[in-house]
Amino acid sequence: MEKVLILGSGPAGLTAAIYCARADLSPLLIDGPQPGGQLTITTEVENFPGFPEGINGPELMERMRKQAEKFGTKFIFDNVSKVELKEKPFKVYLENSEEIIETKSIIIATGASARFLGLPEEKELLGHGVSACATCDGFFFKGKEVAVVGGGDTALEEANFLTKFATRVYVIHRRDKLRASKAMQMLAFSNSKISFIWDSIVEKILGNKITGVEGIVLKNLKTVEKSTLNIQGLFVAIGHNPNTEIFKGQIEMDEKGYILTKNGTHTSVEGVFAAGDVQDRKYRQAITAAGNGCMAAIDCQHYLENLIKNT
């Protein structure tokens, strides 16, 4: 039986692993569908303390992973298909193995996934001109015109990155004001390659798998007028959904599916802790996720110490 099982390998999961390993808890970490988390699709990280010149996202995560390995963290490259949290020891099932992992405690650090518009054409054209990751796919739009949907920091970060390749980047926002930080707004407004389309939504994506995206149909929410914008790429940056589907019905969450925590990282299930974007709907930064991971590891350590005292 494991002492502590960590689900997720982003900044929260790996930081938790480092602290748990240093506390001699021999943590087992299950990578999940995106080893390294969202930072693996980020080119340059400029706001993580200790790197004044910035650091490549995948490199930062690789360094965290090596640090966790150095102190004795064990890794399983697989996805979790099912968890049983109503009885102890907790049981965790994997997609590609018949092994059932039993553990005294769990740290949930499964993160969040990109949210899409819900248009029927999105699935068909995903990978054929529709994307949720500019750093992954931006290179393929060199010399083309593209659009980014959203009004937060992520949307403007994606737009600024895309100007390295695209000749024109349109930012489409359903309101007439951005939600992004002032610094990100100033950066976007000063970029001559970025244009803004206000009070509008994407109603339809034009194109097919052979030709790719050929344009989008826009609807102005104030005038109700529709127009066609000829672009070759559409990047969706409207937020994320927490990866908590497998925990529903077993642990308390808010209306959007984020795990609720109290007294640090404690969840409604004793012995289960949550860290990072899976419980953070406000900050969603690599450094806050890492801090949450540290907190979860310490909370978990205290929980396991109390178990020993009370037996």
Side-chain angles (χ1 to χ4, degrees), residues 261-310:
T261 54
K262 57 186 176 181
N263 300 324
T265 62
H266 294 261
T267 70
S268 60
V269 178
E270 185 181 36
V272 178
F273 309 86
D277 288 7
V278 76
Q279 57 83 50
D280 175 17
R281 58 185 293 177
K282 181 177 181 181
Y283 300 103
R284 296 193 295 265
Q285 300 295 309
I287 189 63
T288 53
N292 278 161
C294 165
M295 293 164 60
I298 294 173
D299 287 343
C300 184
Q301 180 184 350
H302 291 163
Y303 167 74
L304 292 173
E305 288 173 351
N306 288 331
L307 275 186
I308 295 173
K309 289 179 183 178
N310 296 327

Side-chain angles (χ1 to χ4, degrees), residues 88-161:
K88 296 176 182 177
F90 304 122
K91 293 182 176 62
V92 174
Y93 300 78
L94 304 177
E95 285 186 359
N96 301 304
S97 172
E98 294 182 359
E99 177 188 7
I100 300 173
I101 301 172
E102 294 189 340
T103 180
K104 295 179 179 179
S105 63
I106 294 177
I107 296 176
I108 301 173
T110 48
S113 299
R115 189 181 304 149
F116 286 90
L117 300 172
L119 298 173
E121 306 86 35
E122 276 179 313
K123 288 185 178 180
E124 179 188 353
L125 294 173
L126 189 63
H128 298 275
V130 173
S131 172
C133 177
T135 53
C136 307
D137 304 322
F139 177 80
F140 302 109
F141 297 88
K142 194 169 185 178
K144 298 181 179 181
E145 294 193 356
V146 302
V148 176
V149 181
D153 279 356
T154 300
L156 297 193
E157 185 177 352
E158 299 255 289
N160 275 296
F161 177 80

